[in-house]
Amino acid sequence: MSAEAPQAYDDLLEAYRRVSNVESAVGVLSWDQQVTMPDGGAPARSRQLSTLSGLKHELLTDDGIADALETLDRSELNDEQRAVVREIRREHERAAAVPQALIEQISAKSSEALEVWESAKADADFSQFAPVLEELVELRREYAAAIDPDRDPYAVLFEDYEPYLGLETAEQVLERLRDELVPLIEAVGDSDVTQPDPFADGTYSEQAQEDLSREILTRIGYDWDRGRLDTSSHPFTSGNQFDCRVTTRFLEDDPLSALTATVHEFGHAFYNLGLPQEEYGTPLGSSRNLSVHESQSRLWENHVGRSRPFWESVADDVREAFEGVEDIDGETFYRAANRVYDDNLIRVDADELTYHMHIVVRFEIERDLINGDLDVEDVPEVWNDKYEQYLGLRPENDAEGALQDIHWSHGNFGYFPTYTLGSVMAAQLYAAAEDDLGDLDGSIRAGEFEDLQTWLRENVHHHGARYTTDDLVEVATGESYTADYFLEYVTEKYGDLYEL
Amino acid sequence: MSAEAPQAYDDLLEAYRRVSNVESAVGVLSWDQQVTMPDGGAPARSRQLSTLSGLKHELLTDDGIADALETLDRSELNDEQRAVVREIRREHERAAAVPQALIEQISAKSSEALEVWESAKADADFSQFAPVLEELVELRREYAAAIDPDRDPYAVLFEDYEPYLGLETAEQVLERLRDELVPLIEAVGDSDVTQPDPFADGTYSEQAQEDLSREILTRIGYDWDRGRLDTSSHPFTSGNQFDCRVTTRFLEDDPLSALTATVHEFGHAFYNLGLPQEEYGTPLGSSRNLSVHESQSRLWENHVGRSRPFWESVADDVREAFEGVEDIDGETFYRAANRVYDDNLIRVDADELTYHMHIVVRFEIERDLINGDLDVEDVPEVWNDKYEQYLGLRPENDAEGALQDIHWSHGNFGYFPTYTLGSVMAAQLYAAAEDDLGDLDGSIRAGEFEDLQTWLRENVHHHGARYTTDDLVEVATGESYTADYFLEYVTEKYGDLYEL
């Protein structure tokens, strides 16, 4: 290391910690807005958030960071330092490349779009939303061009959410899932087997559902000294290695929904709570991108929370929690939690199998929109055609079609694929954990999660953002990122459930 | 106004709004820390708060603000603009005068002092606390000298909390209260009358107390769309004109305590919620200083919440809320809420009358400490002597003596007098409202608070920080600030209660 490197490195870290602390403050204000803030607080909150976002941008693009990065360019660094510099440089360069005025335009247009989207969805009328969506697509194309005018703009946007796997990998995985899941879903639809629904006729109090959620969170290892459970209209996770909170929401007629959501959010929180505390505020103490985050939530939601041994282990609690299911056994709960919905048009209600077809539709449409291969006005028809092609279903209106998700109205294009990339990664990580730990099914059936927790902490959480996504998968599993494990998992599981 | 003034004025407001938004964000993070944050979150939270405080200081001392103020110095401004510039200049100059290093020293020393104080208090041993208190006194003297080396340092510190009434006024008021309340308290002690305690033998569930607090908050006009009620170890209020929240805490054996605290905090919140929304983030949309804030909390706590008509109006609710008080009438509740404790050594448990003697003790001691007329090591004995002199009581140890309050360990000297100045102001404002509105007693007895609310909004809240404290009192009441009304109020009230 050159003589000046240590000082520049320390300067960089100190400057970055301030960026990170402002970002954490934004997280607290957003959590509060969604969980505790009275409705009337919105005007003040949006101004507070706007000031903090502006300050974060100023701190991140500050000359001090630019100078330190330039000095460190000419310095010899160890692996850890190189990783830190790589991450901060990436964030700094992206922020510096985009004019502040464009950021503000996107932000303002998104606020407008959100309102238009809500009203268009209420009227099930995509044509109301089309003009503002077109403007957002154009602004995001400008944004991508500001970062790199020579590359495919959708690839550039995608990297805001998953910077390292590359769009080509995403495309290959999504194509492969489309090719292999469509026939599997058809076979499930053709099967004579139907799964039971022991909760079909009852209503289930919020209090009973909440008590059960808390019990199960405790069981799977949520650290209440560093977390809390609240309700919000959409479940989410917010926080860091000192304080990471989950939310859920309770449906009176479907207690499985809240349980699944809670375990999903636990996976996100358990990741953040496993980041090294001594590295708080630096890339080594920060989570990797959205794909890896989603791998953690999906691993707990699906590989643990929708597994046969899990339902055998919690069956007693479920029977005690709710009236009318006193005679239901673990196997029946397990099957109920894994029904495949061949008549569902809504992504957030989808099962583990059809879910990815919802993603494929969105991915193909937003990629073509951003790259100029699809006109906004044609979105509803293309959307409906693709649903027919991949899921054998045709939406009857735009509310259950192209208007169902909030993402585009937020100006987010390139986010959707990370849901599937994460699910695929979850299967690969779980297979590696099973390989290392032996009889995971047995432990889960016995209600013992410590081995799995330790494995995830040591092989994933502990690294923070030290490795790129692809390297992290390789370090944790010994193999390159692959969809093999996911496809093997769903083929075996649903083959068994539906006697294929 | 000169040609360049409008631009400089707009620039100043825009810059100040950012300061104000960061300050609001600090408020949200602090509220969260005291109400919802899991214990484990403390290390991350303190770093977030430290970054935001540093940013606020940087924004407030920024060249942009300095330049705009300089331009506006040479500009013709209207009254409103002059008020805005006066307030921002004051904040800017104070922040710019004190070296950042000294601010950080005080902040670090206070963190240390807080821990030492907690342990010294647990051991009832002032000598453990003395060294760090001495350092804080010295640092605050430096702080005062940085702002103005030629003035009485305690007067400078006092102005951080009450910038306009002046220390001389505070001294006169406190001396007058000491002179007139000491004999009154003695007379009460000598009286044969004792007030009833209908809650003496029961325990009162938290849920019943909370329900009653909510009912009464609704009754006196709390806007739940812009507020919430939570619990915290010390009751407090946090927020602005869009979102202002109160907390309370429930004592199982004393339901009057939570009720009184809740109504007190309501007074603070009702003030903030009455600030003009269109002026959010500017001095015209900010509350005046601590004395005025305390006048609003004390007005509701004492002049409304400890009044005979108030207890007559809520007696039904209280009887319904708690078991064992079904036969108690409003007069008895009123008397119970106004007992004078002649054996109480603890400020926060004090009644409306003896409270100010607790303040006088602290004021005289901290003034002499800061001005160098008293050594830290002599504080406990002086404290105990003064308690004996003013309240006829002598603390048996330092925990119930000089270690009871947290303020000095926070490095706050000059804060205490605002409690009394606010109470005095409350009486003057209430008398003026009564003068304008006629039979306030009758309205309160009928559970009608609208006239009083409107009067406070129009005469106090609506002005924000447009007027200096003394001018505000004059605008609202038509008279200069005076303790006459307070002394008249307590003399009449306690003369009646104790048949003096």
Side-chain angles (χ1 to χ4, degrees):
Chain A
M1 190 188 279
S2 76
E4 59 184 340
Q7 187 55 48
Y9 187 75
D10 289 349
D11 292 348
L12 183 70
L13 274 190
E14 197 184 319
Y16 187 75
R17 282 199 194 94
R18 299 185 86 201
V19 175
S20 178
N21 281 328
V22 173
E23 197 173 8
S24 290
V26 166
V28 176
L29 266 62
S30 303
W31 179 88
D32 179 81
Q33 183 164 22
Q34 293 171 77
V35 176
T36 47
M37 190 183 82
D39 288 345
R45 184 55 45 87
S46 76
R47 287 176 237 178
Q48 294 152 10
L49 285 169
S50 162
T51 291
L52 290 188
S53 301
L55 282 171
K56 186 197 154 192
H57 187 264
E58 285 169 31
L59 291 172
L60 188 55
T61 55
D62 186 69
D63 288 346
I65 286 193
D67 293 346
L69 285 170
E70 206 189 309
T71 303
L72 292 163
D73 232 2
R74 295 175 271 104
S75 312
E76 277 180 38
L77 302 171
N78 64 29
D79 287 353
E80 194 172 284
Q81 291 168 329
R82 258 201 304 279
V84 166
V85 171
R86 177 193 70 222
E87 293 299 318
I88 299 178
R89 170 171 289 127
R90 198 179 165 282
E91 271 195 72
H92 167 76
E93 286 178 352
R94 285 223 149 198
V98 184
Q100 182 65 14
L102 180 56
I103 298 284
E104 282 166 19
Q105 261 183 296
I106 292 173
S107 165
K109 191 53 73 183
S110 303
S111 297
E112 184 194 328
L114 189 61
E115 281 187 48
V116 175
W117 170 75
E118 280 169 355
S119 135
K121 189 175 176 181
D123 295 346
D125 178 10
F126 188 86
S127 71
Q128 291 176 26
F129 184 53
V132 70
L133 177 59
E134 188 144 354
E135 290 181 272
L136 277 172
V137 166
E138 190 43 51
L139 287 169
R140 276 299 177 190
R141 290 165 58 91
E142 279 179 44
Y143 172 94
I147 292 168
D148 192 338
D150 301 324
R151 286 179 58 215
D152 173 333
Y154 184 73
V156 173
L157 297 183
F158 170 70
E159 288 167 9
D160 266 357
Y161 308 105
E162 170 44 67
Y164 295 111
L165 280 182
L167 183 60
E168 210 175 314
T169 302
E171 283 182 322
Q172 283 165 3
V173 165
L174 287 162
E175 269 174 41
R176 189 169 165 206
L177 260 59
R178 192 188 61 193
D179 293 345
E180 301 197 25
L181 291 185
V182 168
L184 181 58
I185 292 165
E186 279 172 7
V188 166
D190 293 340
S191 163
D192 293 332
V193 180
T194 53
Q195 304 303 345
D197 185 359
F199 299 103
D201 300 323
T203 57
Y204 306 89
S205 79
E206 188 160 313
Q207 189 60 54
Q209 293 195 47
E210 188 187 325
D211 291 347
L212 184 61
S213 287
R214 288 184 186 276
E215 171 63 29
I216 284 178
L217 281 175
T218 303
R219 197 78 72 89
I220 60 182
Y222 192 46
D223 179 355
W224 293 103
D225 187 47
R226 294 186 290 152
R228 37 184 298 142
L229 172 69
D230 296 274
T231 56
S232 60
S233 55
H234 301 284
F236 73 103
T237 299
S238 172
N240 53 60
Q241 51 268 64
F242 292 94
D243 171 5
C244 195
R245 310 170 185 187
V246 297
T247 74
T248 190
R249 45 108 195 75
F250 302 104
L251 306 181
E252 215 186 23
D253 59 352
D254 180 10
L256 287 181
S257 174
L259 268 189
T260 309
T262 305
V263 175
H264 177 98
E265 300 306 328
F266 165 82
H268 283 303
F270 189 66
Y271 181 10
N272 285 358
L273 291 171
L275 295 166
Q277 294 201 328
E278 66 280 12
E279 302 290 354
Y280 172 74
T282 81
L284 298 176
S286 304
S287 60
R288 197 52 285 173
N289 46 274
L290 290 187
S291 316
V292 178
H293 235 300
E294 195 70 8
S295 81
Q296 299 306 291
S297 56
R298 294 290 179 177
L299 187 147
W300 285 95
E301 176 191 350
N302 293 335
H303 295 272
V304 177
R306 289 192 212 263
S307 75
R308 182 175 273 129
F310 175 79
W311 283 100
E312 289 170 358
S313 102
V314 300
D316 274 346
D317 300 290
V318 181
R319 282 189 291 260
E320 271 171 41
F322 303 123
E323 276 175 37
V325 296
E326 292 83 355
D327 301 327
I328 308 299
D329 64 1
E331 176 69 17
T332 305
F333 289 134
Y334 164 65
R335 288 180 168 270
N338 286 285
R339 273 172 299 155
V340 174
Y341 297 91
D342 58 5
D343 59 348
N344 169 51
L345 284 158
I346 308 301
R347 178 182 62 86
V348 295
D349 297 336
D351 57 83
E352 193 180 1
L353 208 55
T354 57
Y355 186 86
H356 302 288
M357 295 305 98
H358 296 268
I359 297 301
V360 166
V361 171
R362 286 149 180 78
F363 163 70
E364 292 178 353
I365 290 176
E366 67 178 14
R367 179 193 56 193
D368 292 352
L369 270 179
I370 294 291
N371 290 349
D373 298 331
L374 175 65
D375 290 337
V376 166
E377 59 178 327
D378 296 330
V379 165
E381 204 184 328
V382 172
W383 180 288
N384 295 350
D385 289 348
K386 285 183 190 286
Y387 263 79
E388 198 151 2
Q389 189 183 348
Y390 304 148
L391 283 163
L393 296 168
R394 193 168 186 93
E396 293 196 359
N397 61 56
D398 296 339
E400 59 180 35
L403 286 174
Q404 71 177 260
D405 291 305
I406 203 170
H407 301 59
W408 294 340
S409 74
H410 281 322
N412 294 341
F413 303 90
Y415 191 117
F416 282 120
T418 64
Y419 290 127
T420 291
L421 294 173
S423 300
V424 162
M425 199 183 297
Q428 186 172 1
L429 290 169
Y430 195 78
E434 232 168 358
D435 210 40
D436 285 354
L437 300 172
D439 185 20
L440 262 182
D441 270 12
S443 313
I444 292 174
R445 192 173 295 111
E448 287 161 10
F449 298 96
E450 276 183 33
D451 286 353
L452 178 59
Q453 289 164 354
T454 305
W455 192 92
L456 289 170
R457 272 200 213 100
E458 285 177 1
N459 291 283
V460 181
H461 309 173
H462 179 72
H463 298 310
R466 176 173 188 149
Y467 298 110
T468 59
T469 314
D470 39 352
D471 283 353
L472 178 64
V473 171
E474 192 131 357
V475 164
T477 71
E479 283 183 276
S480 302
Y481 180 68
T482 169
D484 290 352
Y485 294 96
F486 175 78
L487 287 164
E488 200 178 301
Y489 159 73
V490 292
T491 306
E492 194 185 313
K493 178 172 179 176
Y494 290 92
D496 169 59
L497 279 164
Y498 284 90
E499 298 170 16
L500 306 179
Chain B
M1 188 188 281
S2 77
E4 59 184 341
Q7 187 55 48
Y9 187 75
D10 289 350
D11 291 349
L12 183 70
L13 274 191
E14 196 183 322
Y16 187 76
R17 282 198 194 94
R18 299 184 86 201
V19 175
S20 177
N21 281 328
V22 173
E23 198 173 8
S24 290
V26 166
V28 176
L29 265 62
S30 302
W31 179 90
D32 180 82
Q33 182 164 23
Q34 293 171 78
V35 177
T36 48
M37 190 184 81
D39 288 345
R45 184 54 46 87
S46 75
R47 286 176 237 178
Q48 293 153 10
L49 284 169
S50 162
T51 291
L52 291 189
S53 301
L55 283 170
K56 186 198 153 190
H57 187 264
E58 286 169 31
L59 292 172
L60 188 55
T61 56
D62 187 68
D63 287 346
I65 286 193
D67 293 347
L69 286 170
E70 208 188 308
T71 303
L72 292 164
D73 234 0
R74 296 176 270 104
S75 312
E76 276 180 41
L77 302 171
N78 64 30
D79 287 353
E80 191 173 287
Q81 292 168 329
R82 256 202 304 279
V84 165
V85 170
R86 176 195 71 221
E87 292 300 317
I88 298 178
R89 170 171 289 125
R90 199 181 164 281
E91 271 196 71
H92 166 77
E93 285 178 352
R94 285 225 151 196
V98 184
Q100 182 66 15
L102 180 55
I103 298 285
E104 282 166 19
Q105 261 182 297
I106 292 173
S107 164
K109 191 54 71 182
S110 304
S111 298
E112 186 194 328
L114 189 60
E115 282 187 48
V116 175
W117 170 75
E118 279 169 356
S119 136
K121 188 174 178 182
D123 295 346
D125 178 9
F126 187 86
S127 71
Q128 292 175 28
F129 184 55
V132 71
L133 178 58
E134 188 144 355
E135 291 180 273
L136 277 172
V137 166
E138 190 43 51
L139 287 168
R140 277 299 178 190
R141 291 166 58 91
E142 281 179 43
Y143 172 94
I147 293 168
D148 192 339
D150 301 324
R151 287 179 58 216
D152 173 334
Y154 184 73
V156 174
L157 296 183
F158 169 70
E159 288 167 9
D160 266 357
Y161 308 105
E162 170 43 67
Y164 296 110
L165 281 183
L167 182 59
E168 209 175 314
T169 302
E171 283 182 324
Q172 283 165 2
V173 165
L174 287 162
E175 268 174 43
R176 186 167 168 208
L177 260 59
R178 192 188 60 195
D179 293 345
E180 301 197 24
L181 291 184
V182 168
L184 181 59
I185 292 165
E186 278 172 10
V188 166
D190 293 341
S191 164
D192 292 334
V193 179
T194 55
Q195 304 303 345
D197 184 1
F199 299 104
D201 300 324
T203 59
Y204 306 89
S205 79
E206 188 159 314
Q207 189 60 55
Q209 293 195 47
E210 187 187 325
D211 291 347
L212 183 61
S213 288
R214 288 184 186 277
E215 171 63 27
I216 285 178
L217 281 174
T218 303
R219 199 74 75 88
I220 59 181
Y222 192 46
D223 180 356
W224 293 103
D225 188 48
R226 295 186 289 153
R228 34 184 300 141
L229 171 69
D230 296 275
T231 57
S232 60
S233 53
H234 300 284
F236 72 104
T237 299
S238 172
N240 52 60
Q241 50 267 66
F242 292 95
D243 170 5
C244 194
R245 311 171 184 186
V246 297
T247 74
T248 190
R249 45 107 194 74
F250 302 105
L251 306 181
E252 216 186 22
D253 59 352
D254 180 8
L256 287 181
S257 173
L259 268 190
T260 308
T262 304
V263 175
H264 177 99
E265 299 307 329
F266 165 82
H268 283 303
F270 189 67
Y271 181 10
N272 286 356
L273 290 170
L275 296 165
Q277 294 201 328
E278 66 280 13
E279 301 290 354
Y280 172 74
T282 81
L284 299 176
S286 304
S287 61
R288 196 51 286 171
N289 46 272
L290 290 187
S291 315
V292 178
H293 235 300
E294 195 71 7
S295 80
Q296 298 306 293
S297 56
R298 294 291 180 178
L299 186 148
W300 285 94
E301 176 192 349
N302 293 335
H303 296 271
V304 177
R306 289 192 213 264
S307 74
R308 182 175 274 128
F310 176 78
W311 283 100
E312 288 171 359
S313 104
V314 300
D316 274 346
D317 301 289
V318 180
R319 282 190 290 261
E320 270 170 42
F322 304 124
E323 276 175 38
V325 296
E326 292 84 354
D327 301 326
I328 308 298
D329 64 2
E331 176 69 17
T332 306
F333 288 133
Y334 164 65
R335 289 181 167 270
N338 285 286
R339 273 171 299 155
V340 174
Y341 297 92
D342 60 4
D343 58 348
N344 170 51
L345 285 158
I346 308 301
R347 178 182 62 85
V348 296
D349 297 336
D351 56 83
E352 195 180 358
L353 207 54
T354 58
Y355 186 86
H356 303 288
M357 295 305 99
H358 296 267
I359 296 301
V360 166
V361 171
R362 286 151 181 77
F363 163 70
E364 292 178 351
I365 290 177
E366 67 178 15
R367 179 193 55 192
D368 291 353
L369 270 179
I370 294 291
N371 290 349
D373 298 330
L374 175 66
D375 290 337
V376 166
E377 60 178 328
D378 296 329
V379 165
E381 206 183 324
V382 173
W383 181 288
N384 295 351
D385 289 348
K386 285 183 189 287
Y387 264 78
E388 200 152 358
Q389 189 183 346
Y390 304 149
L391 283 163
L393 296 168
R394 192 168 186 94
E396 293 197 359
N397 62 56
D398 296 339
E400 57 180 36
L403 286 173
Q404 71 176 260
D405 290 306
I406 204 169
H407 302 58
W408 294 341
S409 74
H410 280 322
N412 294 340
F413 303 89
Y415 190 118
F416 282 120
T418 64
Y419 290 128
T420 291
L421 294 173
S423 301
V424 163
M425 198 183 299
Q428 186 172 359
L429 290 169
Y430 195 78
E434 234 170 357
D435 210 40
D436 285 353
L437 300 172
D439 184 19
L440 262 182
D441 271 11
S443 315
I444 292 175
R445 191 173 297 110
E448 287 160 12
F449 299 96
E450 275 182 34
D451 287 351
L452 178 60
Q453 289 163 356
T454 304
W455 192 93
L456 289 169
R457 273 201 213 99
E458 286 178 359
N459 291 284
V460 181
H461 309 172
H462 179 71
H463 298 310
R466 176 171 187 151
Y467 298 110
T468 60
T469 313
D470 38 353
D471 283 353
L472 178 64
V473 170
E474 191 131 357
V475 164
T477 70
E479 284 183 275
S480 302
Y481 180 68
T482 169
D484 290 352
Y485 294 95
F486 175 78
L487 287 164
E488 197 178 303
Y489 159 71
V490 291
T491 304
E492 192 184 317
K493 177 171 180 176
Y494 291 92
D496 168 60
L497 279 164
Y498 284 90
E499 297 170 15
L500 306 180

